[in-house]
Amino acid sequence: MGSAAILAAKRTLAQTEANYPVTKGQPVVISTWDFGKDANVAAWEVLQNGGRALDAVEAGVKVPEADPNNQSIGLGGRPDRDGRVTLDACIMDEKNNCGAVMCLEYIVHAISVARMVMERTPHVALVGDGALQFALEHGFKKENLLTAKSEAEWKEWLKTSKYKPVPNIENIMPGSEKNHDTIGMVAMDASGNVSGACTTSGMAYKLHGRVGDSPIIGAGLFVDNEIGAATSTGVGEEVIRIAGSHLVVEMMRLGKSPEEACRIAVERISKKSPRDLKEIQVGFLALNKKGEYGAFALQKGFTYAVRNGKEEKIYASKSLF
């Protein structure tokens, strides 16, 4: 790179920093869905004690991962159509380091395995048996993730094998409780650094080996410490088509507010998706370096949780339909 190009890059960076001044000393954590409120408690414990955003988001999403009553994340997650619980997760820090696992079985805290991939390998993602082997070699405990409740529902589903996601309840079982499908979390610490995490057991009764957006950097999660971060939830195939979370961050780079950036991503899905969008849900959630946050979804019903020094609250997202 020549000296002129270097100077131009420095000017661009300076302009970006001017547009997005870092809100140091005012940490914040946001996460998808109502159950994000409990996850935020664990993340906030790290942040309020001066901890790093990366540690906060890992601690936060481990809460629903370990909750057997949450049937869309970690332990107790609904299985694929073969009865196997497979987990997807990714994590990204303020230095552009990232790690992911896909189709990981038998390990409750997929997010911690993803972090270990980030920190202890030259790779970004490990998949299936390789991810499990890596986890076991690094001290993770192998255990059965299929709870009696999820197994019973799967066996009931097998009677018809009808696959029809329900918006805002990506668990397919009519009448089931609202457990949704993913937790995505992004946080900014007292130093003004941003990190994010995303973890899920994916769509219930999916084809074995299916991977959604959640463990894909740029789709289910993206962090740029100059700008902010974004995450997504819902039908992952639609998010992957537009590299959704990356798009949201790039829209914030262009000066859009978090909510506006999320809305643009949703509108792009609406324009380009080949599916009947009124039968599915996709939501985006974003945080910028000013500490501003916002969300937008295809359908009504998407909620997100916020925790900072001033509030602990659940918000309803605006929607396209």
Side-chain angles (χ1 to χ4, degrees), residues 35 64-65 67 70-75 77 181-183 199-201:
F35 58 70
E65 280 186 334
D67 181 1
N70 187 322
Q71 292 179 274
S72 57
I73 301 166
L75 178 65
D181 65 330
T182 302
I183 184 163
T199 182
T200 186
S201 56

Side-chain angles (χ1 to χ4, degrees), residues 63-187:
V63 172
E65 280 186 334
D67 181 1
N69 295 313
N70 187 322
Q71 292 179 274
S72 57
I73 301 166
L75 178 65
R78 290 185 173 89
D80 61 26
R81 58 187 59 196
D82 296 331
R84 299 166 68 173
V85 180
T86 63
L87 308 181
D88 302 324
C90 73
I91 194 165
M92 191 169 186
D93 73 7
E94 76 277 11
K95 300 176 182 178
N96 257 40
N97 297 309
C98 48
V101 290
M102 305 175 189
C103 291
L104 174 65
E105 296 184 76
Y106 304 114
I107 306 296
V108 173
H109 292 302
I111 196 63
S112 296
V113 184
R115 180 171 179 173
M116 199 165 285
V117 171
M118 177 180 76
E119 295 179 337
R120 300 194 185 184
T121 81
H123 310 307
V124 169
L126 293 179
V127 180
D129 290 343
L132 176 59
Q133 177 184 341
F134 174 81
L136 296 176
E137 288 174 349
H138 287 80
F140 287 86
K141 179 184 177 183
K142 184 176 181 180
E143 54 188 293
N144 179 23
L145 303 181
L146 184 62
T147 60
K149 181 178 181 180
S150 289
E151 183 177 17
E153 289 185 356
W154 167 64
K155 289 180 177 178
E156 182 67 24
W157 175 83
L158 284 174
K159 293 178 181 179
T160 59
S161 298
K162 184 178 180 181
Y163 190 81
K164 184 177 176 60
V166 179
N168 297 318
I169 317 174
E170 301 300 349
N171 56 27
I172 301 161
M173 296 293 290
S176 295
E177 56 270 52
K178 290 179 69 175
N179 280 329
H180 310 299
D181 65 330
T182 302
I183 184 163
M185 175 182 285
V186 296

Side-chain angles (χ1 to χ4, degrees), residues 1 21-22 93 119 172 182 212 217 243 245 271 279 305 308 318:
M1 182 183 288
V22 179
D93 73 7
E119 295 179 337
I172 301 161
T182 302
I217 301 297
S245 291
K271 179 180 179 181
E279 293 187 356
N308 56 31
K318 295 180 181 178

